[in-house]
Amino acid sequence: MSLQLTPRQRLALAALIAFHILIIIASNYLVQLPITLFGWHTTWGAFSFPFIFLATDLTVRLLGKGPARQVIARVMVPALLASYVVSVLFQEGAFRGWAALGQFNDFVLRISLASFLAYVCGQLLDIQVFDRLRRLPQWWIAPSAAITLGNLLDTFVFFSVAFWHSSNPFMAEHWVEIASVDYGVKLAISLMLFVPLYGMLLNLLLRLLAGRAVLPAAS
């Protein structure tokens, strides 16, 4: 690693990389499970993926833009491969057996590639927006703006690549509606839950890394 980090920071970075991969795998599985929320179609993935933006924003705040980009670079390929394997084994929420890995699944591969593109685009935008705003005195502006724009790009890149003219008739017909509701759910969850959680975790991590806290007067 070219950046000069303390042992604790390197440990935190490794944990963030593992966390990103775990959330991507879980979200690629959960996005195959549609639900109806207040009469609108969405998926369970809307409730898991915002964790990625929370982790990225904390990385930028604590370690800087460079380490955050390193997380993305190190996560991309392992997450793509792991997502494909897990999604093949548990396609549409049911275990298909180990023999399923021996058969090429273009539907799942398309979801994995869509997740790859959406992750890279959404996270890079999130990092750029957060880094531009993180020195504002109001600590909540940077994560709120970054999550709002990052989630928007991520959601519509993912659903358009994964489900436009998909072999899954339901998803092919409803992907625009599902993407819109998915984004609305992610945004509501992020602003009401993850932004306050970001503030709490930031204080906790700062105490662990440097023995200090910065909120509500952000650094």
Side-chain angles (χ1 to χ4, degrees):
M1 187 177 294
S2 60
L3 295 172
Q4 297 298 316
L5 301 175
T6 68
R8 286 189 178 184
Q9 287 175 327
R10 287 195 293 270
L11 180 61
L13 202 61
L16 285 165
I17 290 169
F19 180 75
H20 275 233
I21 294 174
L22 177 63
I23 295 299
I24 291 172
I25 293 172
S27 297
N28 282 353
Y29 168 74
L30 292 171
V31 79
Q32 300 181 69
L33 306 178
I35 60 171
T36 301
L37 191 66
F38 304 115
W40 297 91
H41 296 297
T42 186
T43 72
W44 284 109
F47 296 91
S48 61
F49 200 74
F51 279 102
I52 288 284
F53 291 92
L54 174 67
T56 296
D57 292 346
L58 286 170
T59 305
V60 178
R61 173 74 74 176
L62 295 171
L63 304 179
K65 186 163 59 173
R69 286 175 172 170
Q70 283 199 15
V71 170
I72 296 172
R74 296 187 178 204
V75 162
M76 292 188 299
V77 174
L80 174 65
L81 297 176
S83 294
Y84 177 79
V85 170
V86 172
S87 297
V88 166
L89 290 175
F90 296 93
Q91 187 172 353
E92 296 179 351
F95 181 64
R96 303 295 179 176
W98 296 105
L101 293 175
Q103 302 174 354
F104 177 71
N105 191 319
D106 58 344
F107 175 74
V108 172
L109 179 61
R110 185 173 172 180
I111 290 177
S112 298
L113 289 174
S115 176
F116 175 88
L117 292 173
Y119 173 77
V120 173
C121 293
Q123 291 302 295
L124 289 178
L125 179 60
D126 179 87
I127 290 171
Q128 190 64 26
V129 172
F130 188 94
D131 188 62
R132 289 288 184 91
L133 300 175
R134 68 190 180 100
R135 293 178 179 83
L136 293 176
Q138 298 83 6
W139 66 267
W140 52 269
I141 292 180
S144 298
I147 284 173
T148 298
L149 296 176
N151 263 313
L152 178 64
L153 182 60
D154 176 279
T155 299
F156 283 92
V157 167
F158 173 79
F159 279 96
S160 61
V161 173
F163 298 117
W164 183 66
H165 288 180
S166 169
S167 59
N168 183 313
F170 178 84
M171 297 301 287
E173 180 182 356
H174 296 286
W175 78 264
V176 175
E177 175 192 346
I178 292 174
S180 300
V181 178
D182 188 86
Y183 174 65
V185 171
K186 286 178 182 175
L187 189 59
I189 292 173
S190 296
L191 295 180
M192 291 189 296
L193 177 61
F194 286 96
V195 171
L197 183 59
Y198 162 88
M200 295 170 57
L201 289 176
L202 179 58
N203 268 323
L204 175 62
L205 290 172
L206 282 171
R207 285 196 293 268
L208 292 175
L209 291 173
R212 62 185 178 88
V214 299
L215 299 182
S219 63

